[in-house]
Amino acid sequence: MKPVIILKNITKIYQSGELSFRALKNINLTINEGDFTAITGASGSGKSTLMNIIGLLDIPTSGTFLLDNVETSKLNDNQLAKLRNQKIGFIFQSFNLLPRTSAIDNVALPLIYAKIEKYERLEKAKISLDLVGLSDKLKSHPNQLSGGQQQRVAIARALVTNPQILLADEPTGNLDSKSGFEIMQIFKRLNKEGKTIIMITHEPEIAKHAKKIITIKDGDIL
Amino acid sequence: MSSALRSILANRLRSILTILGIVIGVTSVILLISLVSGLNSFITSQIEGLGSNLIFVIPGRIGGSRSPGGIQANRLILQDATNLQKQLLDQAKVSAVVQRTSTLKYNNKLDRGVAIFGVQGNYPDIISVKLTSGKFFNDSEANSGRKVVVIGPTVASTLFGLTSPIGQSVDIGGLKYKVIGLTKSRGSTFGIDQDNSVLIPLTAAQKQFGLDRLNTIYISANNSEQVRKVQAEATSILKKRLSEDDFSVQTQEQTLSTISQITSVLSLALGGIAAISLIVGGIGIMNIMLVSVTERTKEIGLRKALGARPTDIRNQFLIEAITLSGLGGLIGITLGISLSLIIGLFLTTTITWWSIVLSFGFSTLVGILFGVMPAIRAARLNPIQALRYE
Ligand SMILES: Nc1ncnc2c1ncn2[C@@H]1O[C@H](COP(=O)(O)OP(=O)(O)OP(=O)(O)O)[C@@H](O)[C@H]1O
Ligand SMILES: [Mg+2]
């Protein structure tokens, strides 16, 4: 088992004016290649904070984070951008698709930053949309898609660079149970094909699809 | 590159409004400045086109309590012109002019509001009068009081249409005058048609209209070095009979500078309006950029989360801003030049390169600055801060 994510004594303190808040307290966590992990916990417990640090979207106040054996605190902006682009696919609870932009262009977006030619970008985006069952919605704009479809476009976008790790912050939080179930089927298939998946969820129904469940309480892993 | 153009097309309204802001600024600056410069060069060419080494004597004192053209009594009479001519005989030519407005009739056609100039026979020696046909009256014709007239092209076309007016009799204020010449077009100043005028002998004009006061005495120095000297002598000659406040003697140059003082006030006013429209355009651009900053900051957060480097973000927004500003600038230049040319059909307009450079430079600078600054600020945030920006 090869560890791809190693967190050592990760602490995150939010500072706003005089007030400071310890959202994560000395987190230690190792995720191995091929894991499918669900993170649960009460609202405000620090799940998203942890996920954003793993996804290189935010930096910890202290502690060490090794991504694929690379010490991330030593990386500059450009190196971080490259890792986000190549190693990680991030799926947001609120989809975060570009408005007024077609599904295929949304999916192809990360490939622009991977310096891939336009023709190849569109080919890869098509394949990726096919993987989530949206081959018939290539030209649709986000406002013409249902919530479940939008989240599947977001998953296709996360997959398009063929990253090692898939991070999903409440991917089914805005969806009905049927759409949520479909998303879980996609995740399970991707995990079987070798992707490492970490997923935040409130719902036990969703968490049970994962191989392993971690619970966070007040910034600590239980 | 492609993300910038995609973003322009995806946000058409925002793009169009930005372009519009720049178009307004650039067009109005080019147009207003071409109007002002046109006015300046028109007036200059008109005055310079009158003749050379000219000195004007006009009633009243410029800058005095009795300004020229005021309602105070005009004391300038033919005797003054005759005195000047006698005493300046070997240095200059002198010609007196009276003026009034009247109606001309030919058959049943009328031309109202025609400027009637009563001039002496030596008038064409001093003021350049270009004729397209016929001839000008000579001194003896003028002094004998014969009723002959040289008409302007507007008068000719109004009364005679396409037929030749030469040799015809035209009714001026109730008396018949014989048309002996037709002048070349001189265009219009401030919308006043200079071609709707006629020249008749001074004697005839004075007799018919009872004009004993002169509107202008033109003096033309024989050579350019003597203009100042002639001006000084003319002043002292006139002072023998008249008081200082009764008249002004101005050289062509002085008149030009007086007029350019007036037009520079106008230039300043129009320049102010142009500056305001530049600022209005700039504020428009600023507004659009600031209004979209929340959405754009979220977009920047997302792009960074997907792997965009800060330079990628900066380049995208820079290209976007340059494209929009450049496009707006080019449309503005095209529009400004075309409108200037169209207006140039009626008024003199002079398109100046510096107005193009100035307006284009300013507008694109504002466009690029306000397009890129929020982006650079947002690109420095970490992705999650940008994504959660409100
Ligand atoms: N930018 C911030 N500034 C200050 N405090 C913050 C900030 N972001 C999060 N917090 C605080 O950190 C704690 C953890 O937030 P986090 O978003 O990680 O919770 P969560 O477990 O994801 O909750 P939920 O299930 O509701 O999404 C919360 O108490 C929150 O108020
Ligand atoms: Mg959360």
Side-chain angles (χ1 to χ4, degrees):
Chain A
M1 283 279 210
K2 186 184 155 211
V4 284
I5 290 165
I6 301 171
L7 302 179
K8 288 184 202 155
N9 296 319
I10 291 288
T11 297
K12 177 72 184 180
I13 299 171
Y14 286 116
Q15 194 83 40
S16 42
E18 306 243 303
L19 295 172
S20 69
F21 181 82
R22 267 160 71 91
L24 294 177
K25 299 164 185 163
N26 287 314
I27 297 278
N28 286 292
L29 176 67
T30 300
I31 306 276
N32 290 315
E33 197 168 22
D35 277 0
F36 183 179
T37 312
I39 300 177
T40 60
S43 183
S45 56
K47 306 182 294 294
S48 295
T49 304
L50 178 64
M51 188 69 114
N52 293 336
I53 287 171
I54 296 173
L56 299 173
L57 303 183
D58 206 352
I59 38 174
T61 311
S62 66
T64 321
F65 167 29
L66 295 164
L67 178 66
D68 226 6
N69 284 323
V70 176
E71 160 60 321
T72 56
S73 66
K74 300 209 163 60
L75 302 176
N76 66 25
D77 269 0
N78 290 351
Q79 290 166 322
L80 286 173
K82 195 169 179 184
L83 284 186
R84 283 181 209 125
N85 188 249
Q86 294 179 346
K87 297 239 161 152
I88 296 163
F90 207 108
I91 297 157
F92 303 89
Q93 179 176 357
S94 52
F95 320 142
N96 280 334
L97 299 175
L98 284 186
R100 301 180 287 279
T101 305
S102 66
I104 190 164
D105 284 339
N106 262 297
V107 174
L109 197 55
L111 297 175
I112 292 178
Y113 303 115
K115 304 270 185 288
I116 288 172
E117 287 304 313
K118 183 170 185 183
Y119 175 78
E120 205 184 335
R121 288 207 297 267
L122 294 181
E123 278 308 300
K124 288 193 175 198
K126 254 184 234 166
I127 294 168
S128 204
L129 277 165
D130 199 28
L131 283 177
V132 297
L134 281 178
S135 331
D136 56 335
K137 299 284 184 192
L138 301 183
K139 297 283 171 211
S140 303
H141 287 197
N143 62 359
Q144 299 162 328
L145 296 170
S146 73
Q149 288 169 334
Q150 289 183 55
Q151 193 57 297
R152 282 191 277 159
V153 173
I155 294 169
R157 182 180 63 191
L159 293 174
V160 77
T161 53
N162 195 22
Q164 209 174 337
I165 303 159
L166 215 53
L167 304 177
D169 190 347
E170 304 202 35
T172 61
N174 285 339
L175 305 180
D176 62 34
S177 56
K178 184 170 164 287
S179 305
F181 183 76
E182 283 167 8
I183 301 279
M184 282 310 106
Q185 298 315 305
I186 295 172
F187 276 22
K188 280 205 274 198
R189 194 182 72 221
L190 290 168
N191 179 243
K192 234 178 234 149
E193 290 164 6
K195 294 248 183 283
T196 308
I197 300 178
I198 308 175
M199 167 181 83
I200 294 176
T201 182
H202 275 122
E203 305 155 67
E205 276 300 298
I206 294 294
K208 73 169 198 238
H209 292 281
K211 289 185 198 158
K212 187 177 165 193
I213 299 177
I214 294 173
T215 306
I216 294 190
K217 190 175 181 239
D218 297 333
D220 267 324
I221 292 179
L222 289 186
Chain B
M1 183 73 189
S2 79
S3 24
L5 298 184
R6 217 173 277 281
S7 168
I8 288 173
L9 292 176
N11 300 286
R12 266 183 214 98
L13 184 63
R14 187 171 73 207
S15 306
I16 289 170
L17 289 174
T18 308
I19 290 176
L20 200 66
I22 294 182
V23 169
I24 290 172
V26 173
T27 306
S28 51
V29 168
I30 293 177
L31 190 61
L32 290 173
I33 290 178
S34 84
L35 275 171
V36 172
S37 327
L39 185 63
N40 264 323
S41 64
F42 177 77
I43 290 172
T44 307
S45 75
Q46 286 283 309
I47 290 175
E48 282 171 351
L50 281 177
S52 51
N53 308 335
L54 275 182
I55 298 159
F56 309 104
V57 180
I58 50 177
R61 200 164 79 110
I62 290 176
S65 55
R66 295 168 55 187
S67 53
I71 51 164
Q72 286 86 357
N74 175 357
R75 300 194 55 210
L76 222 51
I77 56 172
L78 188 56
Q79 186 59 47
D80 296 313
T82 317
N83 287 346
L84 284 170
Q85 182 64 87
K86 261 186 215 146
Q87 294 174 52
L88 293 171
L89 199 56
D90 47 356
Q91 298 179 64
K93 297 190 216 44
V94 178
S95 188
V97 176
V98 296
Q99 189 195 340
R100 66 167 298 155
T101 309
S102 184
T103 300
L104 268 66
K105 263 190 280 190
Y106 176 72
N107 291 344
N108 46 14
K109 293 206 192 84
L110 284 181
D111 189 1
R112 290 178 215 278
V114 181
I116 315 284
F117 291 96
V119 302
Q120 296 177 303
N122 64 351
Y123 182 77
D125 303 340
I126 296 170
I127 302 294
S128 81
V129 179
K130 296 197 181 78
L131 298 181
T132 50
S133 62
K135 62 178 188 67
F136 202 79
F137 39 85
N138 58 31
D139 256 330
S140 67
E141 281 174 308
N143 294 338
S144 67
R146 278 191 56 194
K147 294 201 193 57
V148 288
V149 61
V150 173
I151 62 173
T154 304
V155 178
S157 66
T158 309
L159 296 182
F160 299 98
L162 292 173
T163 59
S164 166
I166 307 292
Q168 304 293 328
S169 258
V170 65
D171 183 305
I172 303 178
L175 294 177
K176 292 281 183 210
Y177 282 75
K178 190 177 164 208
V179 180
I180 58 165
L182 175 61
T183 62
K184 219 175 136 187
S185 176
R186 298 209 297 152
S188 56
T189 322
F190 303 115
I192 297 166
D193 185 359
Q194 297 200 69
D195 298 334
N196 198 24
S197 62
V198 300
L199 298 159
I200 60 174
L202 182 71
T203 338
Q206 289 193 308
K207 216 186 276 171
Q208 178 177 358
F209 300 109
L211 300 168
D212 55 340
R213 307 294 157 153
L214 304 181
N215 289 73
T216 320
I217 300 169
Y218 290 113
I219 304 172
S220 168
N222 290 346
N223 73 58
S224 55
E225 280 97 68
Q226 286 193 315
V227 171
R228 289 279 168 169
K229 184 169 159 265
V230 171
Q231 180 189 19
E233 282 184 28
T235 307
S236 64
I237 293 164
L238 289 168
K239 261 199 201 147
K240 282 179 198 146
R241 201 190 68 80
L242 298 166
S243 91
E244 205 168 57
D245 282 346
D246 289 334
F247 67 97
S248 311
V249 183
Q250 273 214 314
T251 65
Q252 203 165 6
E253 252 170 73
Q254 290 168 332
T255 306
L256 268 180
S257 81
T258 307
I259 289 179
S260 78
Q261 269 170 28
I262 298 167
T263 55
S264 73
V265 171
L266 199 66
S267 305
L268 220 61
L270 285 183
I273 295 172
I276 288 169
S277 49
L278 265 188
I279 290 166
V280 167
I283 289 172
I285 298 164
M286 219 160 25
N287 253 329
I288 293 151
M289 296 296 185
L290 290 180
V291 163
S292 61
V293 104
T294 307
E295 189 186 312
R296 306 234 77 175
T297 303
K298 284 196 159 80
E299 179 190 328
I300 288 167
L302 174 67
R303 286 176 184 273
K304 284 195 77 173
L306 299 179
R309 295 169 304 168
T311 46
D312 293 323
I313 303 287
R314 195 201 57 210
N315 289 348
Q316 178 198 331
F317 280 76
L318 196 63
I319 291 168
E320 194 179 316
I322 289 173
T323 309
L324 290 179
S325 310
L327 200 66
L330 289 181
I331 294 174
I333 289 174
T334 316
L335 215 61
I337 291 178
S338 338
L339 286 177
S340 299
L341 291 178
I342 290 170
I343 291 176
L345 297 175
F346 314 102
L347 295 168
T348 315
T349 53
T350 308
I351 297 158
T352 50
W353 63 267
W354 62 265
S355 70
I356 295 174
V357 172
L358 176 87
S359 58
F360 185 84
F362 182 84
S363 306
T364 46
L365 197 73
V366 170
I368 291 169
L369 218 59
F370 287 99
V372 175
M373 254 177 14
I376 289 179
R377 209 180 315 135
R380 280 204 213 104
L381 300 173
N382 71 39
I384 208 71
Q385 284 172 315
L387 269 168
R388 290 193 176 157
Y389 184 87
E390 256 149 25

